[in-house]
Coordinates of all heavy atoms in Angstrom, one line a residue:
Chain B
G9 N -5.1 -4.0 20.4 CA -4.9 -5.5 20.2 C -3.8 -6.0 21.1 O -3.9 -7.1 21.7
Q10 N -2.7 -5.3 21.1 CA -1.5 -5.8 21.8 C -1.7 -5.9 23.3 O -1.3 -6.9 23.9 CB -0.2 -5.0 21.5 CG 1.0 -5.6 22.2 CD 2.3 -5.2 21.6 OE1 2.4 -4.5 20.6 NE2 3.3 -5.9 22.1
V11 N -2.2 -4.8 23.8 CA -2.5 -4.8 25.2 C -3.4 -6.0 25.7 O -3.2 -6.8 26.6 CB -3.1 -3.5 25.7 CG1 -3.5 -3.6 27.2 CG2 -2.1 -2.4 25.5
Q12 N -4.5 -6.2 24.9 CA -5.4 -7.3 25.1 C -4.8 -8.6 25.1 O -4.9 -9.5 25.9 CB -6.6 -7.2 24.2 CG -7.7 -6.3 24.7 CD -8.7 -6.1 23.5 OE1 -8.7 -6.7 22.5 NE2 -9.6 -5.2 23.8
M13 N -4.0 -8.8 23.9 CA -3.4 -10.2 23.7 C -2.4 -10.4 24.8 O -2.3 -11.5 25.4 CB -2.6 -10.2 22.4 CG -3.6 -10.0 21.2 SD -4.6 -11.4 20.9 CE -3.4 -12.6 20.5
T14 N -1.6 -9.4 25.2 CA -0.6 -9.6 26.2 C -1.2 -10.0 27.5 O -0.8 -10.9 28.2 CB 0.2 -8.2 26.4 OG1 0.7 -7.9 25.2 CG2 1.3 -8.5 27.3
W15 N -2.3 -9.3 27.9 CA -3.0 -9.6 29.1 C -3.6 -11.0 29.1 O -3.5 -11.7 30.1 CB -4.1 -8.5 29.3 CG -5.1 -8.8 30.5 CD1 -6.4 -8.9 30.4 CD2 -4.7 -9.0 31.8 NE1 -6.9 -9.2 31.6 CE2 -5.8 -9.3 32.5 CE3 -3.5 -9.0 32.5 CZ2 -5.9 -9.5 33.9 CZ3 -3.5 -9.2 33.9 CH2 -4.7 -9.5 34.6
S16 N -4.1 -11.4 28.0 CA -4.8 -12.7 27.9 C -3.7 -13.8 28.1 O -3.9 -14.8 28.7 CB -5.6 -13.0 26.7 OG -4.8 -13.2 25.6
R17 N -2.5 -13.5 27.5 CA -1.4 -14.5 27.8 C -0.9 -14.5 29.1 O -0.6 -15.5 29.8 CB -0.3 -14.3 26.7 CG -0.5 -15.0 25.4 CD 0.8 -14.9 24.6 NE 1.2 -13.5 24.5 CZ 0.9 -12.7 23.6 NH1 0.1 -13.0 22.6 NH2 1.3 -11.5 23.6
Y18 N -0.8 -13.2 29.7 CA -0.2 -13.0 31.0 C -1.1 -13.8 32.1 O -0.5 -14.4 32.9 CB -0.2 -11.5 31.3 CG 0.5 -11.2 32.7 CD1 1.8 -11.0 32.7 CD2 -0.3 -11.2 33.8 CE1 2.5 -10.7 33.9 CE2 0.3 -10.9 35.0 CZ 1.7 -10.7 35.1 OH 2.3 -10.4 36.3
R19 N -2.4 -13.7 31.9 CA -3.4 -14.3 32.8 C -3.2 -15.7 32.9 O -3.5 -16.3 34.0 CB -4.7 -13.9 32.3 CG -5.6 -13.2 33.3 CD -6.9 -12.8 32.8 NE -7.3 -13.4 31.5 CZ -8.3 -13.1 30.8 NH1 -9.1 -12.2 31.3 NH2 -8.5 -13.7 29.7
K20 N -2.7 -16.4 31.9 CA -2.6 -17.9 31.8 C -1.6 -18.3 32.9 O -1.6 -19.5 33.3 CB -2.2 -18.4 30.5 CG -3.4 -18.4 29.5 CD -3.0 -19.0 28.2 CE -4.0 -18.6 27.2 NZ -3.3 -18.3 25.8
S21 N -0.6 -17.5 33.2 CA 0.5 -18.0 34.1 C 0.1 -17.7 35.6 O -0.1 -16.6 36.0 CB 1.7 -17.2 33.8 OG 2.6 -17.4 34.9
K22 N -0.1 -18.8 36.4 CA -0.5 -18.6 37.8 C 0.5 -17.9 38.6 O 0.2 -17.0 39.4 CB -0.7 -19.9 38.4 CG -2.0 -20.7 37.9 CD -2.4 -21.8 38.8 CE -3.7 -22.4 38.4 NZ -3.5 -23.3 37.2
L23 N 1.8 -18.2 38.3 CA 2.9 -17.6 39.1 C 2.9 -16.0 38.8 O 3.0 -15.2 39.7 CB 4.3 -18.1 38.7 CG 4.6 -19.4 39.4 CD1 6.0 -19.9 38.9 CD2 4.8 -19.0 41.0
A24 N 2.6 -15.7 37.5 CA 2.7 -14.3 37.2 C 1.5 -13.5 37.8 O 1.7 -12.4 38.4 CB 2.6 -14.1 35.7
M25 N 0.4 -14.2 37.9 CA -0.8 -13.6 38.5 C -0.6 -13.5 40.1 O -0.9 -12.4 40.6 CB -2.0 -14.4 38.3 CG -2.6 -14.3 36.9 SD -2.8 -12.6 36.4 CE -4.3 -12.1 37.3
L26 N 0.1 -14.5 40.7 CA 0.4 -14.4 42.1 C 1.4 -13.2 42.3 O 1.1 -12.5 43.3 CB 1.1 -15.7 42.5 CG 1.6 -15.8 44.0 CD1 0.4 -15.8 44.9 CD2 2.6 -16.9 44.2
G27 N 2.4 -13.0 41.5 CA 3.2 -11.9 41.6 C 2.4 -10.6 41.5 O 2.6 -9.6 42.3
L28 N 1.5 -10.5 40.5 CA 0.8 -9.2 40.3 C -0.1 -8.9 41.4 O -0.1 -7.8 41.9 CB -0.1 -9.4 39.0 CG -0.8 -8.1 38.6 CD1 0.3 -7.1 38.2 CD2 -1.7 -8.4 37.4
V29 N -0.8 -9.9 42.0 CA -1.6 -9.7 43.2 C -0.8 -9.2 44.4 O -1.1 -8.3 45.0 CB -2.4 -11.0 43.5 CG1 -3.1 -10.9 44.9 CG2 -3.4 -11.4 42.5
T30 N 0.4 -9.9 44.6 CA 1.2 -9.6 45.7 C 1.7 -8.1 45.6 O 1.7 -7.2 46.5 CB 2.5 -10.4 45.8 OG1 2.0 -11.8 45.6 CG2 3.2 -10.3 47.1
V31 N 2.2 -7.8 44.4 CA 2.6 -6.4 44.1 C 1.5 -5.4 44.3 O 1.8 -4.3 44.9 CB 3.3 -6.3 42.7 CG1 3.5 -4.8 42.4 CG2 4.5 -7.1 42.5
S32 N 0.4 -5.7 43.9 CA -0.8 -4.8 44.1 C -1.1 -4.6 45.5 O -1.3 -3.4 46.0 CB -2.1 -5.4 43.4 OG -1.7 -5.8 42.1
V33 N -1.1 -5.7 46.3 CA -1.4 -5.6 47.8 C -0.3 -4.7 48.4 O -0.6 -3.8 49.2 CB -1.3 -7.0 48.4 CG1 -1.4 -6.8 49.9 CG2 -2.6 -7.7 47.9
L34 N 1.0 -4.9 48.0 CA 2.1 -4.1 48.6 C 1.9 -2.7 48.3 O 2.1 -1.8 49.2 CB 3.4 -4.6 48.1 CG 4.0 -5.8 48.7 CD1 5.1 -6.4 47.9 CD2 4.4 -5.5 50.1
F35 N 1.6 -2.4 47.0 CA 1.4 -1.0 46.6 C 0.3 -0.4 47.4 O 0.3 0.8 47.9 CB 1.1 -0.9 45.1 CG 2.3 -0.5 44.3 CD1 3.2 -1.5 43.9 CD2 2.6 0.7 44.0 CE1 4.3 -1.2 43.2 CE2 3.8 1.1 43.3 CZ 4.6 0.1 42.9
F36 N -0.8 -1.0 47.5 CA -2.0 -0.6 48.2 C -1.6 -0.2 49.6 O -1.9 0.9 50.1 CB -3.1 -1.5 48.1 CG -4.4 -1.1 48.8 CD1 -5.2 -0.1 48.2 CD2 -4.8 -1.5 50.0 CE1 -6.4 0.3 48.8 CE2 -5.9 -1.1 50.6 CZ -6.7 -0.1 50.1
A37 N -0.9 -1.2 50.3 CA -0.6 -1.0 51.7 C 0.4 0.2 51.8 O 0.2 1.0 52.7 CB 0.0 -2.3 52.2
A38 N 1.3 0.2 50.9 CA 2.4 1.3 51.0 C 1.7 2.6 50.8 O 2.2 3.7 51.4 CB 3.5 1.0 50.1
L39 N 0.7 2.7 50.0 CA 0.2 4.1 49.6 C -1.0 4.4 50.4 O -1.3 5.6 50.8 CB -0.1 4.2 48.1 CG 1.0 4.0 47.2 CD1 0.7 4.0 45.8 CD2 2.1 5.0 47.5
A40 N -1.9 3.4 50.9 CA -3.2 3.8 51.5 C -3.0 3.9 53.1 O -3.5 4.8 53.7 CB -4.2 2.7 51.2
I41 N -2.4 2.9 53.6 CA -2.2 2.9 55.1 C -1.6 4.2 55.7 O -2.1 4.7 56.7 CB -1.6 1.6 55.6 CG1 -2.4 0.4 55.2 CG2 -1.4 1.6 57.1 CD1 -1.8 -1.0 55.5
P42 N -0.5 4.7 55.1 CA 0.0 5.9 55.7 C -1.0 7.1 55.7 O -0.8 8.0 56.4 CB 1.2 6.2 54.7 CG 1.6 4.9 54.2 CD 0.3 4.1 54.1
L43 N -2.1 7.0 55.0 CA -3.0 8.0 55.0 C -3.8 8.1 56.3 O -4.3 9.1 56.8 CB -4.1 7.9 53.9 CG -3.6 7.9 52.4 CD1 -4.7 7.7 51.4 CD2 -2.9 9.3 52.2
F44 N -3.9 6.9 57.0 CA -4.6 6.8 58.2 C -3.7 6.8 59.5 O -4.1 7.0 60.6 CB -5.5 5.5 58.3 CG -6.4 5.4 57.1 CD1 -6.1 4.5 56.0 CD2 -7.4 6.3 56.9 CE1 -6.9 4.4 54.9 CE2 -8.2 6.1 55.8 CZ -8.0 5.3 54.8
K45 N -2.4 6.5 59.3 CA -1.5 6.4 60.4 C -0.6 7.6 60.3 O -0.2 8.1 59.3 CB -0.7 5.1 60.3 CG -1.6 3.9 60.3 CD -2.1 3.6 61.7 CE -3.0 2.4 61.7 NZ -3.7 2.2 63.0
D46 N -0.1 8.1 61.5 CA 0.8 9.2 61.6 C 2.2 8.7 61.4 O 2.6 7.6 61.9 CB 0.6 9.8 62.9 CG 0.8 11.3 62.9 OD1 1.1 11.8 61.7 OD2 0.7 12.0 63.9
Y47 N 3.0 9.5 60.7 CA 4.4 9.1 60.5 C 5.1 9.0 61.8 O 6.0 8.2 62.0 CB 5.1 10.1 59.5 CG 6.5 9.7 59.2 CD1 6.9 8.6 58.6 CD2 7.5 10.6 59.6 CE1 8.1 8.2 58.3 CE2 8.8 10.3 59.3 CZ 9.2 9.2 58.7 OH 10.5 8.9 58.4
E48 N 4.7 9.9 62.8 CA 5.3 9.9 64.1 C 5.3 8.5 64.8 O 6.3 8.1 65.5 CB 4.6 10.9 65.0 CG 4.6 12.3 64.6 CD 6.0 12.9 64.4 OE1 6.8 12.7 65.3 OE2 6.2 13.5 63.3
M49 N 4.3 7.8 64.5 CA 4.1 6.4 65.1 C 5.3 5.5 64.7 O 5.6 4.5 65.4 CB 2.8 5.7 64.7 CG 1.6 6.4 65.3 SD 0.1 5.7 64.6 CE 0.1 4.1 65.3
A50 N 5.9 5.9 63.5 CA 6.9 5.0 63.0 C 8.3 5.3 63.6 O 9.2 4.5 63.5 CB 7.0 5.0 61.5

Side-chain angles (χ1 to χ4, degrees):
Chain B
Q10 178 155 11
V11 171
Q12 272 169 9
M13 296 293 293
T14 307
W15 172 238
S16 77
R17 273 191 310 270
Y18 185 90
R19 238 173 12 185
K20 282 185 198 141
S21 161
K22 290 200 176 70
L23 275 178
M25 285 308 286
L26 178 70
L28 185 65
V29 169
T30 313
V31 171
S32 310
V33 169
L34 280 167
F35 262 85
F36 181 77
L39 299 179
I41 296 179
L43 298 178
F44 306 108
K45 301 286 179 184
D46 214 358
Y47 181 62
E48 299 301 313
M49 292 172 70

